Amino acid sequence: MGFDLNQQPLEGHDESLRAALSGTGLPVDDLTDAGRSFYRFSRDGETIGFGGLELYGKAALLRSIVVLPDRRGFGFGHAITLGLLDEAHRKGADAAYLLTESAAAFFQSLGFRPIARAEAPATILMTRQAANLCPASAALMVRSLPA
């Protein structure tokens, strides 16, 4: 699964990002808030998917990870997630957190483990993702960086 994807920063108001997230039921209400970094992942000039992160000191929140429907099933989700983890580590994070309702097994395959919300730093729990946008039923997961 060693895909060489091009990772380009993009703004939260990018329409293709909003459309991809909306199409999979992921939140879009806070995309233009301060402190978010989003990326378009492409291969040979073709968009494969998107992902984002928020940094809170040594903790990063991965979010908005989506592979376009016609690109699913080829391992691109792994490549996008690993690209985001590398970016978070480069920016000083030593742990990455995420919330998911339906992809816990996918993220466990990448080294994430489920944790109780009480185990997460307050900075992660106070994010709009954790506090408002993701339901309480969403699994909170963590992975140390680098790993």
Side-chain angles (χ1 to χ4, degrees), residues 1-73:
M1 280 191 255
F3 294 113
D4 188 21
L5 297 182
N6 183 20
Q7 182 173 332
Q8 300 171 284
L10 76 154
E11 299 295 323
H13 57 73
D14 183 271
E15 284 305 316
S16 56
L17 170 67
R18 287 182 167 276
L21 296 178
S22 294
T24 57
L26 291 173
V28 295
D29 293 350
D30 68 335
L31 296 183
T32 57
D33 290 1
R36 283 113 178 92
S37 300
F38 295 101
Y39 303 90
R40 174 189 321 275
F41 291 84
S42 59
R43 186 173 181 206
D44 300 327
E46 237 181 288
T47 298
I48 301 296
F50 301 92
L53 56 92
E54 301 174 30
L55 287 171
Y56 299 96
K58 297 246 177 230
L61 179 68
L62 269 57
R63 50 153 315 150
S64 309
I65 298 171
V66 63
V67 175
L68 297 181
D70 64 340
R71 297 294 178 196
R72 292 183 187 146

Side-chain angles (χ1 to χ4, degrees), residues 59 95-98 113-126 140-144:
Y97 295 82
L98 59 83
R113 65 179 176 81
I115 60 170
R117 291 192 184 225
E119 293 179 57
T123 52
I124 296 297
L125 297 177
M126 293 185 319
L140 176 62
M141 305 183 81
V142 65
R143 175 181 157 165
S144 295

Side-chain angles (χ1 to χ4, degrees), residues 56-105:
Y56 299 96
K58 297 246 177 230
L61 179 68
L62 269 57
R63 50 153 315 150
S64 309
I65 298 171
V66 63
V67 175
L68 297 181
D70 64 340
R71 297 294 178 196
R72 292 183 187 146
F74 298 103
F76 291 120
H78 281 85
I80 289 171
T81 304
L82 293 174
L84 293 171
L85 292 172
D86 286 346
E87 186 73 21
H89 185 247
R90 274 196 301 275
K91 292 184 173 185
D94 62 13
Y97 295 82
L98 59 83
L99 291 146
T100 183
E101 285 188 83
S102 60

